[in-house]
Amino acid sequence: MNTQQARRCVLYARLSVTKEESVSIARQLLSCRRYAEARGWEVVGEFIDDGVSATANKPEDRKGWAALLAATDFDAVIIWKVDRLARRVLDFLHADEALQKRGAGLVAVEDPIDMTSPQGRAFAVMLAVFGEMEAEAIRARVRAARAQLLKDGRWAGGGIPYGYRSSTNPDGPGWVLVKDPERQPWLTEIVGKALGGATVNAITTWLTTAGAPLPEGSIARRKSGATGWNRQTVDGILRNPVLAGMTPHNPGRPKSAKRADPFAVFRDETGEAVVNETLAVITTEEFRTLQMLLDSRSTPQARKRSEREPTSPFLSRVVRCDDCDVFMCRGTNQKRPVLYCPSCRQTMSRSAFDPYLITRLLDERGAEPLGGSTVRAHWAAAGNSDEARREILLTQLASLRVRRGVVGRYFDENRVLLRWRDSAAEQPSVPESQSQDRRP
């Protein structure tokens, strides 16, 4: 694509978080429109990803960029700067490759790049390198600032644990964590019951029945008429290392992995966990015992087979957690089927997820050829066999991942990252479980 000859273009803008120094989506699009007008190009579409991090989300996994690639009849994409598209070199190259395949080129308003020549492409890659370096520098500064706050014994911000509150630092600037006199007795009782053998569900029921005050800012408090506790909240309270006076701290942990490791805590130069005795309600050994109790009860495979809730094998070893890159496991939550990540513990309810996948499979791939017939025909022949249905789904999938999002009452399809196989690729073979059903 020669940028001098392009006549039809689309605009793309992205912003992670609106700040005073950031360039808003509207300003990015305005600059791109002016550029197109100056070149005499026709703008045929505008696509945005607002509130989306380029570091945490690849271009192909963003809703706006995916919609752009699905559009037709354009030969140039105008962005404000290279880092609006990607902050990793590999992500930038993959995005540019996707545009090349459709004969489109990339133009940046503030970065004078020309993707039609080897020199221009090399310069664009250099800009992407600098963008990646800048993102890493920002992360390093944030990690260093947080580490210094913790070293000084100050509160580094974030969600305040149940049973505690923030208070002005009596020894200097900033804030410190102190016990909340209203909720501290409830916290002590919660921990005591858990160490005594009570299950998370039992503690949740007791808290609701007893009318225990909910955590400050709890999602449950904002729901109209909702006054009860939920097991996820209780489980999170029991897994917080502040119970033993330790401070959660793992600079290398993904932001979304809220409970990746309860022992990822702030440590001193010798590697020993820093313990603030004034905040502790149990010892570090008791905290370790508590985590072992929780883990033994939260993993379905750890229970006796007779005690497990039966779940459908339809998505067994099919869905990966986008944060941890591991297969999500089958399980139940309050007797409802879910998928959960064994590493970061994120969950996805299957009550809506399974029907959503089936609908998309039949609507988008039903007419695809499969074993001398079509996907839809084989699906009908599979009947109610979840194993046979799983084999059909696997013939069409390139990848299926679930990322974190707001977990609530309603199904959020934006958490689902689904890619089908290339239709032009070699036709997949018929599932073995149905091959015997084929007529000669």
Side-chain angles (χ1 to χ4, degrees), residues 201 204 229-232 309 332-338:
N201 285 336
T204 303
W229 286 70
N230 62 68
R231 72 174 312 279
Q232 288 84 0
E309 291 286 343
T332 57
N333 184 1
Q334 298 180 347
K335 297 185 178 181
R336 288 189 287 268
V338 298

Side-chain angles (χ1 to χ4, degrees), residues 26-46:
R27 287 181 57 193
Q28 292 180 45
L29 292 176
L30 179 60
S31 296
C32 293
R33 289 191 206 102
R34 287 175 175 172
Y35 182 93
E37 183 180 354
R39 301 295 296 270
W41 296 353
E42 178 187 0
V43 177
V44 296
E46 297 180 358

